[in-house]
Amino acid sequence: MLAAGAVVAVIVLMASGSGDDSPDDKPSASASSSPRPTLSLPTELPSRLPSRLPSELPSQFPTELPSEFPSGLESLIPSFAADEVPYYMLRAGDCFDTDDLQPGQAAKRSCGTPHDAEVVRVAELEGDYTTDAALKKAASDLCDKSLTSKAADQPEGTVRGMLVQYPDPAGYRLGIDNVACSLAADTGGTRKLTAPLT
């Protein structure tokens, strides 16, 4: 209530000072016999500060935190393992292993050791795609020519599959637009590549 009164007083002061702006009617700097309202602010700090914390603070904090992310987000968040990355962080020439349980993740490997696949090209999706089928077709179209050409250059029997990794519709809406175009030793099998692609 006191604060509202101070605001009103300031407004009144401002309103009373705004009249006719003729030079003859302005008050002079000398002492005047008419009373003027004054506004004073306290100059001292309070002598006592609270000595106790409020008693309404929680006595216990939660001991259990969520241990899992909502489903579908795992592929968007990089793993803490040094060799595991989301597929969209792969670059051309990277060799990696895949995991059927984590389709959006790739475990980077040295190209001189056994590995599942090698990235031939990373492309970017452009356009509006709202379904998985539309994204899959667009990603496949981006990869088709470069994968077919690179596969033809490999020794016979080396490459038996093509792997196209692309975002799902939710990831695409978030701005993930990379497509990893890779050649694999075997899709769904046990064969591995043992050297970089030629």
Side-chain angles (χ1 to χ4, degrees), residues 153-170:
D153 293 341
Q154 303 310 306
E156 191 174 326
T158 306
V159 174
R160 293 187 180 178
M162 296 178 182
L163 177 62
V164 176
Q165 294 169 297
Y166 59 96
D168 63 8

Side-chain angles (χ1 to χ4, degrees), residues 7-17:
V7 171
V8 171
V10 171
I11 293 172
V12 169
L13 285 174
M14 291 167 54
S16 68

Side-chain angles (χ1 to χ4, degrees), residues 169-192:
Y172 189 65
R173 282 191 299 273
L174 288 173
I176 299 171
D177 56 4
N178 281 359
V179 175
C181 311
S182 305
L183 290 177
D186 203 358
T187 52
T190 58
R191 292 184 67 248
K192 300 269 189 182

Side-chain angles (χ1 to χ4, degrees), residues 54-125:
S55 60
E56 291 85 34
L57 290 177
S59 59
Q60 291 184 346
F61 290 99
T63 57
E64 291 184 33
L65 296 175
S67 60
E68 296 179 13
F69 290 106
S71 65
L73 293 179
E74 294 86 1
S75 66
L76 300 177
I77 300 169
S79 172
F80 292 109
D83 62 346
E84 289 186 14
V85 296
Y87 86 87
Y88 55 83
M89 293 181 73
L90 293 170
R91 302 289 170 244
D94 284 348
C95 296
F96 63 95
D97 283 340
T98 60
D99 182 350
D100 290 338
L101 299 176
Q102 295 180 317
Q105 293 287 101
K108 289 175 94 176
R109 300 288 181 250
S110 166
C111 293
T113 61
H115 54 279
D116 292 335
E118 181 177 333
V119 180
V120 171
R121 175 180 181 222
V122 175
E124 239 177 65
L125 288 165

